[in-house]
Amino acid sequence: QVQLVESGGGLVQAGGSLRLSCVASGSIFGIASMAWYRQAPGKQRELVAFITSSGGRANYGDSVKGRFTISRDNAKNTLDLQMNSLKPEDTAVYYCNAFIQISKWDQGRDYWGQGTQVTVSS
């Protein structure tokens, strides 16, 4: 079985910083793209940041560009999100996402973490 576990969420004042981490564990043959999503109350889940398998390319949602940085460590199967200059509108549950193959015969599928709450006070 594959598990994604996030950590690092919490309460922070506007203008502050947080670093989220996600570790993938279990029967993993390979991890392709990884991403962070978030969902605020009453809103749809939205893509925050995406990173390719090699880590060579990253894309960001317009609302977080220039403030958030996504990174990964393929040796450790980890994904991080450094969040700076946080705003109250960044308040949401943040989810780790990864496209994972569990064997060389497996086509792979998306896996999700359980989410971690980020609350930014004004």
Side-chain angles (χ1 to χ4, degrees):
Q1 288 191 353
V2 172
Q3 274 193 317
L4 298 180
V5 179
E6 302 101 335
S7 62
L11 173 64
V12 64
Q13 287 189 331
S17 298
L18 280 176
R19 187 175 185 88
L20 304 183
S21 294
C22 171
V23 58
S25 63
S27 178
I28 296 173
F29 175 76
I31 304 177
S33 61
M34 302 183 80
W36 286 97
Y37 285 77
R38 68 186 181 186
Q39 188 166 19
K43 294 188 177 181
Q44 288 189 329
R45 190 172 295 190
E46 65 171 350
L47 176 66
V48 175
F50 164 96
I51 190 166
T52 55
S53 57
S54 67
R57 183 171 64 88
N59 291 325
Y60 297 90
D62 288 341
S63 61
V64 307
K65 282 179 182 176
R67 299 187 298 122
F68 290 10
T69 302
I70 190 171
S71 61
R72 64 189 288 174
D73 185 332
N74 288 340
K76 298 179 180 178
N77 287 344
T78 58
L79 177 72
D80 290 337
L81 184 69
Q82 177 65 41
M83 305 185 295
N84 298 327
S85 302
L86 282 160
K87 304 175 181 180
E89 50 265 43
D90 294 318
T91 295
V93 178
Y94 284 70
Y95 297 92
C96 174
N97 165 265
F99 191 87
I100 296 174
Q101 287 178 275
I102 60 173
S103 73
K104 65 179 180 179
W105 301 280
D106 176 35
Q107 290 186 335
R109 70 170 180 89
D110 277 316
Y111 290 82
W112 294 87
Q114 81 288 352
T116 185
Q117 177 70 47
V118 171
T119 303
V120 184
S121 63
S122 57

